Amino acid sequence: MANPDPKIRVAVLGTGSLGQHHARIYSELQKAGQVRFAGVYDSHAETAKKIAAKVETKTFDSIAEAAASADALNIVTPTTTHFEIAKSLLSQGKHVLVEKPMTDSSAQAAELIEIAQRNNCVLQVGHVERFNPVFAFLQTAAPEPRFIECHRLSPFPARSTDVGVVLDLMIHDLDAVLAFVKSPVTSVDAVGIPVLSKSEDIANARLRFANGCVANLTVSRVSPERMRKIRVFSGGTTTPSYISLDYRAQEGYIYRIARDDEQETPLLKKILAAKLGVGKDSTIVSEFAGKKVVREPVPIAKDEPLKLELQHFVDCVRERQTPMVSGESAKRALDLAFEITRQIQSFKP
């Protein structure tokens, strides 16, 4: 029997630290008339009931029951379960958003892509930074990146310890950098060490691209502070610039050579901005080596990346479009993450 409700029916599988936010956003989208939120499932029934009550939806007793009630499902379960769940859903003709990392192996990722194509299903992977307004700004402001530096640090998590920090954190930056540079990776040099778990908890990777761009990525999940920043030197045929952006705060600065009509900022204003933070978001012009350099805040319209990601998924399902973070795109980042992990694990001091 045809579904009389034209709205996409969505369900969330997994209501842990991230899945509960998927449920919250779908509840908001349902109230806005965007979707029909069918419900949630979790292997821990009490957790599912608690989240379902909070977002005013129902719980399912099994994944099969959730699949029967939904057109599209979000897989927000442990990484080790992603492949089997996604394979089953895609084989049933269901549209799937699977959280990162996509799968445990490149072969599994390739199989999911093939099943999705065969069944004309949308397969999207949860690389949420691609939907961060910071990334959207970066693509327009630095069209010819020459050097990229990423730092993604966090305290030790209560989740995702089933994978190393490369597949847990660095994969976000790998996906973003691959989408940003748009050139093949020609070399990888990586190092990492375990600290509190059996797999690497701190890692660094240096990537060189065919177009000459170099990216240096550092991640840690044993840091006392949280940081998600990207810095880009852009050159080529465009005016050279340096952009420093904060994914968490969704703000940052761009540094460039001043125009002839831009005057140096008075010393007092510089001191107030640097020492007291007064006017820190205003444009500052300083002189270095006989040239004036402008530091100006970037115009970023803040929004919740996860909300934008889920809205994009729903739109792609409704319009049968290829997602911005497709299975193929996510597999490229996954393959690179596996190579970095291989180098780290193969190192013998």
Side-chain angles (χ1 to χ4, degrees):
M1 182 178 295
N3 175 22
D5 189 343
K7 297 186 183 70
I8 302 298
R9 300 174 302 164
V10 296
V12 174
L13 308 180
T15 53
S17 58
L18 181 55
Q20 62 181 300
H21 291 293
H22 282 242
R24 169 182 59 82
I25 291 169
Y26 277 136
S27 177
E28 294 170 357
L29 291 178
Q30 176 170 263
K31 290 175 182 177
Q34 297 290 311
V35 300
R36 187 153 70 85
F37 188 17
V40 300
Y41 165 79
D42 196 288
S43 57
H44 299 284
E46 288 305 313
T47 301
K49 289 177 182 177
K50 180 180 177 181
I51 299 303
K54 185 181 295 186
V55 300
E56 300 177 342
T57 192
K58 66 175 290 186
T59 59
F60 297 111
D61 293 329
S62 66
I63 293 175
E65 184 184 355
S69 301
D71 308 301
L73 298 97
N74 288 21
I75 302 173
V76 203
T77 57
T79 303
T80 52
T81 67
H82 286 181
F83 174 69
E84 291 299 336
I85 296 175
K87 180 180 178 180
S88 173
L89 294 176
L90 291 168
S91 297
Q92 297 174 56
K94 304 297 180 179
H95 306 285
V96 168
L97 187 157
V98 58
E99 267 301 337
K100 62 81 198 166
M102 181 181 179
T103 56
D104 274 338
S105 74
S106 181
Q108 289 179 344
E111 186 172 348
L112 292 185
I113 292 168
E114 191 277 327
I115 296 172
Q117 291 175 341
R118 188 171 68 235
N119 290 286
N120 195 29
C121 294
V122 171
L123 173 59
Q124 182 173 324
V125 182
H127 287 289
V128 72
E129 290 301 27
R130 288 261 222 120
F131 297 89
N132 194 310
V134 163
F135 184 71
F137 171 81
L138 192 60
Q139 290 182 294
T140 58
E144 298 182 69
R146 309 306 297 161
F147 178 73
I148 302 170
E149 187 168 44
C150 302
H151 283 89
R152 189 170 295 265
L153 317 176
S154 75
F156 195 72
R159 44 159 287 280
S160 295
T161 53
D162 57 326
V163 295
V165 74
V166 172
L167 286 167
D168 181 19
L169 298 182
M170 186 184 285
I171 196 164
H172 280 297
D173 294 312
L174 293 173
D175 173 73
V177 167
L178 288 176
F180 181 41
V181 178
K182 297 180 178 68
S183 180
V185 175
T186 57
S187 69
V188 181
D189 188 22
V191 64
I193 57 171
V195 179
L196 298 177
S197 65
K198 294 180 181 179
S199 52
E200 80 285 349
D201 293 310
I202 301 174
N204 173 268
R206 189 174 180 85
L207 314 177
R208 185 173 291 277
F209 295 83
N211 66 0
C213 182
V214 172
N216 189 56
L217 291 71
T218 300
V219 290
S220 169
R221 57 183 181 188
V222 288
S223 171
E225 62 177 326
R226 294 184 184 276
M227 179 186 292
R228 286 161 41 201
K229 291 187 176 181
I230 182 168
R231 301 174 180 89
V232 180
F233 296 103
S234 182
T237 59
T238 60
T239 302
S241 65
Y242 165 59
I243 303 174
S244 177
L245 300 172
D246 187 323
Y247 280 117
R248 294 185 69 214
Q250 294 185 15
E251 61 187 26
Y253 298 95
I254 181 169
Y255 298 78
R256 58 172 176 79
I257 298 297
R259 298 185 301 270
D260 292 338
D261 61 344
E262 291 178 302
Q263 300 300 313
E264 184 173 0
T265 302
L267 179 60
L268 178 59
K269 184 176 180 180
K270 292 180 186 177
I271 293 174
L272 290 174
K275 302 295 184 182
L276 302 177
V278 178
K280 66 182 180 68
D281 291 330
S282 60
T283 299
I284 301 292
V285 183
S286 303
E287 187 171 324
F288 298 96
K291 290 190 176 182
K292 290 182 294 184
V293 176
V294 178
R295 186 214 71 180
E296 57 188 355
V298 297
I300 296 176
K302 298 183 180 182
D303 207 337
E304 183 179 5
L306 184 60
K307 181 185 72 176
L308 298 176
E309 178 184 64
L310 300 193
Q311 180 67 69
H312 178 71
F313 175 57
V314 171
D315 291 343
C316 287
V317 171
R318 182 184 297 115
E319 299 165 17
R320 293 298 193 272
Q321 293 183 345
T322 300
M324 184 163 66
V325 187
S326 63
E328 294 89 341
S329 174
K331 183 178 179 296
R332 287 193 291 273
L334 191 65
D335 288 343
L336 188 52
F338 286 145
E339 170 58 21
I340 292 169
T341 302
R342 185 196 66 76
Q343 288 192 20
I344 290 172
Q345 294 177 346
S346 65
F347 176 72
K348 303 296 181 183

